[in-house]
Amino acid sequence: MTCLDETPTSHAETQRWAYPLLLIVSGVALGVSGLPAPLYGIYEANWHLSPLATTIVFAAYAFAALAAVLVAGRISDVVGRKPVLLGALAALIIGLGIFLIADSIGMLLLARTIHGAAVGSIVVAGAAALLDLRPHHGVRTGQLSGVSFNVGMTVAIVGSSLLAQYVAHPLRTPYAVVAVVCAVVGIAVLALRETHAGRTGGRIRISRPAVPPEIRDDFWFAALGAMASWSVLGCC
């Protein structure tokens, strides 16, 4: 009977590329989140948008991402990590497609809402899948995830800025390029074996946010720093 038991370790041994792939998926997701940031100035100039309109677009992404974070983990526990990741990657491509044809603030809001939900889902399901593969390397996984997030966002923002400056269609080309990248990553995820062998049943409930008391002071200190940096950089 024991020979039939599949564990996260067996998955890691048979698919050694799964762990770096999941890091890449997370980096791509965060890259998509930052991709439009250098382009908002062009939207404002071309469409005569007010600063308030741009702020609303930012807020739509943030609220959608928060909602996804609260439910994606439980959904991935029930249906598996892979279906959540594939669905979120498909949503990223759909959002990029909406950006490609966007001609109004309403379409920007729709695209960013879809992207917020997709990025939140990938961050949560991807982190869970990484821990499924290497359950005893949580600290190292967190460090590598942070590097992946920052590299993905940096490459996307710099690339978007360069394309916006030097290509003929600055509000189209960055999204088309990244959509191709998402499609390639999605094909790779299709070949990924499900990392969560012990899926649970039951209803899907919203997770209640909580911070363990022993790290609460550090959490709030880090949260204040993150909020301050994002309020200045505005890359979400």
Side-chain angles (χ1 to χ4, degrees):
M1 294 297 292
T2 57
C3 64
L4 298 178
D5 183 29
E6 287 190 340
T7 65
T9 302
S10 67
H11 286 294
E13 292 174 350
T14 56
Q15 287 191 311
R16 295 185 182 277
W17 48 268
Y19 190 85
L21 172 63
L22 290 167
L23 290 173
I24 291 171
V25 171
S26 298
V28 169
L30 268 292
V32 171
S33 77
L35 183 67
L39 308 179
Y40 285 130
I42 302 177
Y43 285 119
E44 290 178 353
N46 291 356
W47 296 358
H48 307 290
L49 300 179
S50 67
L52 177 60
T54 305
T55 300
I56 293 172
V57 173
F58 275 109
Y61 170 89
F63 282 116
L66 175 61
V69 165
L70 294 176
V71 300
R74 178 57 180 163
I75 292 174
S76 73
D77 287 341
V78 174
V79 305
R81 319 300 189 205
K82 182 177 175 179
V84 174
L85 292 173
L86 287 173
L89 284 166
L92 288 181
I93 295 173
I94 291 171
L96 291 166
I98 295 173
F99 269 118
L100 276 169
I101 62 173
D103 58 3
S104 67
I105 183 66
M107 296 188 77
L108 293 185
L109 282 169
L110 176 60
R112 289 305 278 165
T113 300
I114 293 172
H115 278 172
V119 172
S121 298
I122 288 175
V123 168
V124 172
L130 287 167
L131 289 176
D132 290 337
L133 292 174
R134 298 185 183 179
H136 304 299
H137 297 82
V139 174
R140 181 62 172 167
T141 293
Q143 293 170 342
L144 292 174
S145 296
V147 171
S148 176
F149 294 161
N150 285 288
V151 170
M153 184 172 290
T154 301
V155 170
I157 292 175
V158 173
S160 179
S161 300
L162 292 173
L163 289 172
Q165 185 170 357
Y166 295 111
V167 301
H169 303 286
L171 297 182
R172 302 288 184 268
T173 306
Y175 303 119
V177 171
V178 175
V180 172
V181 173
C182 289
V184 172
V185 171
I187 292 171
V189 173
L190 281 172
L192 181 70
R193 293 181 183 176
E194 175 57 54
T195 64
H196 188 49
R199 278 167 281 183
T200 60
R203 297 174 59 186
I204 297 173
R205 296 183 175 89
I206 296 176
S207 301
R208 181 179 178 180
V211 179
E214 59 270 20
I215 65 168
R216 196 162 290 165
D217 291 340
D218 292 336
F219 171 83
W220 285 117
F221 181 78
L224 288 172
M227 286 187 289
S229 61
W230 279 91
S231 66
V232 173
L233 297 174
C235 295
C236 58

